[in-house]
Amino acid sequence: MSILVTGASGFIGSKVCEMLVKSGKDVVAIDNMNDYYDVKIKDYRLKNLKKLKNFTFYKIDIENKKSVENIVKKHKFSAIINLAARAGVRYSMENPFIYVSTNTMGTLNLLDIAKDYKIKKFVLASTSSLYAGQKMPFVETLAVNTPISPYAASKKGAEAMCYSYHYLYGLDVTVVRYFTVYGPAGRPDMSIIRFIKWIDEGKPIELFGDGSQSRDFTYVDDIADGTIKALKKTGYKTINLGGNKPYKLNYMIHLIEKNLGKKAKYNYKPFHKADITATWANINEAKKILKWTPKVSLEQGIKKTVDWYLENKSWFKYVKL
């Protein structure tokens, strides 16, 4: 029995595939390799995955249900881990339609295939962006009915569809809500990788607000570990995966400066209306149900990320931010 992983060349998807294969699982991976951010980094991740045994890749879009069905007919799957998504809060305001077609409709395609081909387990990657405006630390039982970006709304739609398929067809679903994931080979549209590159190159970093906003940063290996643990049978559960310790952006920048041995220059911009001022995960459910806790501190994680950047600077310097 294989596991189908969507979004396999993505930041989190590639790490999930790597961990699954190294634990002895057969992984069939799909990705449409879109150019929302520079595909050079997706190619890098995928090249490393293709070196592994028991890893099979197809360039396919989850929006194309027929193409996904053709893959499902070739393999026998015990589970689907859906990590394919259009990410990015700000860009979702420029092109909301692609977020609904990928994040909501794409998820529906996969759920319907799981139903038709009797794939019992479904894991959906969701987001802490749904908690905007709620009391912290964010707990899974909070009502998340006021998404403040099309990105968050599209993920809310995907979660709601997951529950419908669980209720109607008995699909076992775990929804994992991620909190500010970072690490080596991270997305170049996210702050940590961008700040590392800009500070190293002596360019001003673009900082929305004054840096006092805080995030519950979570290292990618911890996130991938929690996602794999979410393959456990749960019925239907929503589970936060976060560091459980928010840090101000200014402290994160300080850590980058310390590890690079360089000082940041700043280009301050207004705080974005679709951003949230703080995130903080309550991870009691993850501890109880998945036996999961994050292991990598922000200090360790920033060092690992800076070290990766320095080791890969020869090609990463050409990656567009």
Side-chain angles (χ1 to χ4, degrees):
M1 297 284 271
S2 301
I3 295 170
L4 177 63
V5 180
T6 72
S9 72
F11 177 34
I12 300 167
S14 59
K15 182 57 69 173
V16 167
C17 288
E18 177 192 332
M19 287 187 171
L20 281 169
V21 171
K22 288 182 176 178
S23 70
K25 301 289 191 299
D26 289 328
V27 172
V28 176
I30 64 176
D31 200 297
N32 69 357
M33 302 295 288
N34 70 68
D35 62 356
Y36 163 66
Y37 60 79
D38 198 325
V39 294
K40 283 193 281 291
I41 196 160
K42 296 183 179 184
D43 290 335
Y44 164 84
R45 298 179 192 130
L46 191 56
K47 183 181 176 183
N48 288 330
L49 286 173
K50 285 181 174 178
K51 295 174 185 174
L52 303 173
K53 290 182 180 179
N54 303 323
F55 176 82
T56 306
F57 177 76
Y58 298 93
K59 187 179 177 181
I60 284 173
D61 196 320
I62 62 168
E63 293 179 46
N64 188 329
K65 189 182 179 192
K66 200 72 182 170
S67 294
V68 179
E69 276 187 302
N70 289 336
I71 299 305
V72 172
K73 288 173 185 176
K74 292 181 184 178
H75 303 269
K76 190 156 182 68
F77 292 113
S78 59
I80 296 174
I81 301 178
N82 183 22
L83 297 165
R86 292 283 178 161
V89 166
R90 295 185 193 107
Y91 186 66
S92 73
M93 297 171 68
E94 296 176 34
N95 190 355
F97 299 96
I98 193 69
Y99 281 75
V100 173
S101 62
T102 299
N103 298 356
T104 309
M105 291 300 298
T107 299
L108 174 57
N109 286 341
L110 294 168
L111 287 166
D112 210 52
I113 287 168
K115 169 185 70 86
D116 289 346
Y117 291 87
K118 296 181 170 46
I119 302 168
K120 297 295 186 183
K121 183 69 195 186
F122 195 95
V123 176
L124 173 71
S126 191
T127 175
S128 60
S129 295
L130 284 169
Y131 291 116
Q134 302 279 17
K135 183 180 177 183
M136 296 194 304
F138 301 140
V139 65
E140 295 88 345
T141 52
L142 286 168
V144 286
N145 298 321
T146 54
I148 62 171
S149 68
Y151 167 62
S154 69
K155 283 293 192 178
K156 171 70 175 178
E159 288 192 10
M161 201 61 73
C162 280
Y163 184 80
S164 295
Y165 270 67
H166 160 71
Y167 178 81
L168 291 170
Y169 309 113
L171 207 60
D172 194 279
V173 179
T174 307
V175 175
V176 280
R177 289 180 180 157
Y178 296 149
F179 283 71
T180 316
V181 190
Y182 74 99
R187 277 172 37 206
D189 62 315
M190 292 191 72
S191 63
I192 289 182
I193 285 287
R194 299 181 112 194
F195 288 177
I196 290 170
K197 191 170 187 286
W198 281 332
I199 293 170
D200 182 58
E201 293 175 349
K203 296 176 181 175
I205 64 173
E206 292 180 2
L207 187 60
F208 292 85
D210 62 1
S212 64
Q213 62 266 44
S214 62
R215 293 289 180 268
D216 199 346
F217 296 105
T218 321
Y219 192 66
V220 65
D221 291 46
D222 286 331
I223 286 288
D225 176 52
T227 303
I228 292 167
K229 283 183 165 69
L231 288 166
K232 177 181 179 180
K233 188 174 182 179
T234 61
Y236 183 92
K237 275 288 177 185
T238 301
I239 298 175
N240 290 335
L241 297 181
N244 194 32
K245 190 175 182 182
Y247 290 92
K248 291 186 185 301
L249 262 60
N250 286 328
Y251 179 66
M252 176 267 285
I253 294 166
H254 163 72
L255 291 175
I256 294 172
E257 291 175 323
K258 179 182 174 184
N259 281 279
L260 282 174
K262 297 181 179 182
K263 288 302 238 182
K265 299 172 185 175
Y266 291 86
N267 177 14
Y268 290 101
K269 295 196 170 187
F271 188 76
H272 201 283
K273 187 176 183 180
D275 279 343
I276 51 181
T277 55
T279 63
W280 180 8
N282 178 312
I283 59 169
N284 289 340
E285 288 289 274
K287 290 177 180 176
K288 182 174 69 176
I289 296 169
L290 305 181
K291 312 300 182 204
W292 177 89
T293 53
K295 296 180 175 65
V296 180
S297 69
L298 183 62
E299 292 80 6
Q300 293 168 325
I302 293 293
K303 184 180 187 311
K304 287 172 183 281
T305 309
V306 170
D307 288 348
W308 176 87
Y309 164 81
L310 294 172
E311 288 167 10
N312 291 276
K313 192 163 71 165
S314 60
W315 66 267
F316 193 78
K317 65 184 177 183
Y318 299 110
V319 171
K320 294 177 185 176
L321 303 183

